[in-house]
Amino acid sequence: MKIEGSVALVTGANRGLGKAIVSALVQAGAAKVYAAARDASSISADGSRVVPLVLDTTRPEQIAAAVKQAGDVTLLINNAGALNAHNVLTMSPAELDADFRTNVHGTLDVIKGFLPVLERASGSATVVNVLSLAALGSFPPLGGYSASKAAAYSITQALRPALKAKGIDILAVLPGPIDTDMVRTLQMPKTSPADTARGLLAGIARGEEEIFPDPMAEQMSALWNKSHKEYERAFASF
Ligand SMILES: NC(=O)c1ccc[n+]([C@@H]2O[C@H](COP(=O)([O-])OP(=O)(O)OC[C@H]3O[C@@H](n4cnc5c(N)ncnc54)[C@H](OP(=O)(O)O)[C@@H]3O)[C@@H](O)[C@H]2O)c1
């Protein structure tokens, strides 16, 4: 998809990767970027092409209002994500529910809400789901979160034929660790949000169904293609 001239909406746009995606979209020539966040006052409007929007992806009435306000979207980037559920033996059911509520149900509900808008773009609309390398193989210290990203990956695949029939592409982004609040306490090499955002947009421009936007993700994608078992073992040993 051509980023230049597109009308994008990014969820979770107030910090971390979402904020970097908004800046990268503006730099790449998007005509308009709806920067959606639970608290619209937390959005730094990066130029006149950025439009702040209130959107908690778990609140149906806010999704409906966002669809009304952003009826010209051609590129929907589901970036909002939650990480509450760590070790599957010690996490609480509430923590697992919280990750599934945002990472799975929120993502799907936003896509369903925006379908009529995306259909109007007649063949030039794209949905992008920001998942994680943990969607392809569990990272046991974040086992509950990994399960939610695996479910979101499965839903991405389930949507692909139905959306294709409506002229809408759907892409999955599978990043490695990013230097954001989400993994502040994890000691491991991380890619900057700006570099991840650039890799993500390059993957969208190439229309890749699976986008590996950073060097670690590229390395892990090679391992995944070679052997899913080796991929699983590599994550288990981190
Ligand atoms: N950081 C990593 O290592 C990493 C690696 C792979 C994939 N990812 C994925 O990348 C995406 C961005 O994560 P990040 O690293 O930028 O994390 P972050 O710094 O923790 O930011 C998370 C963003 O999601 C928003 N959010 C959470 N729940 C929401 C909801 N129900 N409705 C709307 N917005 C919500 C947050 O808004 P508030 O400010 O209101 O909380 C915040 O803007 C996520 O999908 C994450 O799973 C991250």
Side-chain angles (χ1 to χ4, degrees):
M1 171 189 209
K2 203 161 164 247
I3 306 286
E4 197 178 349
S6 64
V7 177
L9 186 148
V10 183
T11 64
N14 53 316
R15 61 192 172 97
L17 179 61
K19 187 175 176 182
I21 294 172
V22 171
S23 300
L25 283 164
V26 170
Q27 271 175 23
K32 195 196 289 184
V33 184
Y34 292 102
R38 292 193 275 206
D39 173 7
S41 70
S42 62
I43 294 164
S44 49
D46 191 352
S48 57
R49 281 175 283 149
V50 177
V51 181
L53 192 85
V54 177
L55 181 55
D56 181 330
T57 60
T58 64
R59 294 184 58 178
E61 77 286 3
Q62 291 194 3
I63 295 175
V67 170
K68 270 198 186 150
Q69 198 186 328
D72 51 354
V73 167
T74 59
L75 172 60
L76 172 64
I77 303 186
N78 291 301
N79 163 77
L83 165 52
N84 299 284
H86 294 82
N87 182 313
V88 294
L89 288 176
T90 53
M91 70 186 179
S92 69
E95 286 166 339
L96 188 62
D97 283 351
D99 284 1
F100 269 75
R101 205 161 43 246
T102 296
N103 300 344
V104 182
H105 299 284
T107 298
L108 179 57
D109 290 348
V110 170
I111 293 170
K112 284 165 73 178
F114 272 93
L115 266 190
V117 169
L118 296 166
E119 267 188 276
R120 280 204 295 273
S122 17
S124 58
T126 299
V127 174
V128 178
N129 290 341
V130 179
L131 307 176
S132 164
L133 284 178
L136 303 179
S138 184
F139 181 46
L142 309 180
Y145 166 83
S146 299
S148 73
K149 290 293 185 176
Y153 182 56
S154 180
I155 281 176
T156 305
Q157 291 177 321
L159 285 167
R160 186 161 285 128
L163 266 57
K164 204 164 219 43
K166 297 175 186 294
I168 303 165
D169 290 327
I170 182 162
L171 317 177
V173 185
L174 303 136
I178 311 165
D179 193 7
T180 66
D181 297 338
M182 184 173 274
V183 291
R184 195 63 73 213
T185 55
L186 286 184
Q187 302 302 318
M188 52 168 62
K190 296 168 193 166
T191 304
S192 73
D195 284 348
T196 305
R198 270 192 290 275
L200 181 153
L201 289 201
I204 296 174
R206 290 192 293 267
E208 293 170 356
E209 290 186 352
E210 271 89 27
I211 299 171
F212 295 92
D214 58 85
M216 179 181 171
E218 273 177 32
Q219 220 181 331
M220 289 303 285
S221 108
L223 186 59
W224 187 60
N225 285 323
K226 184 176 158 225
S227 158
H228 294 190
K229 247 8 238 185
E230 276 188 44
Y231 185 96
E232 178 190 334
R233 281 194 285 268
F235 262 138
S237 66
F238 266 111

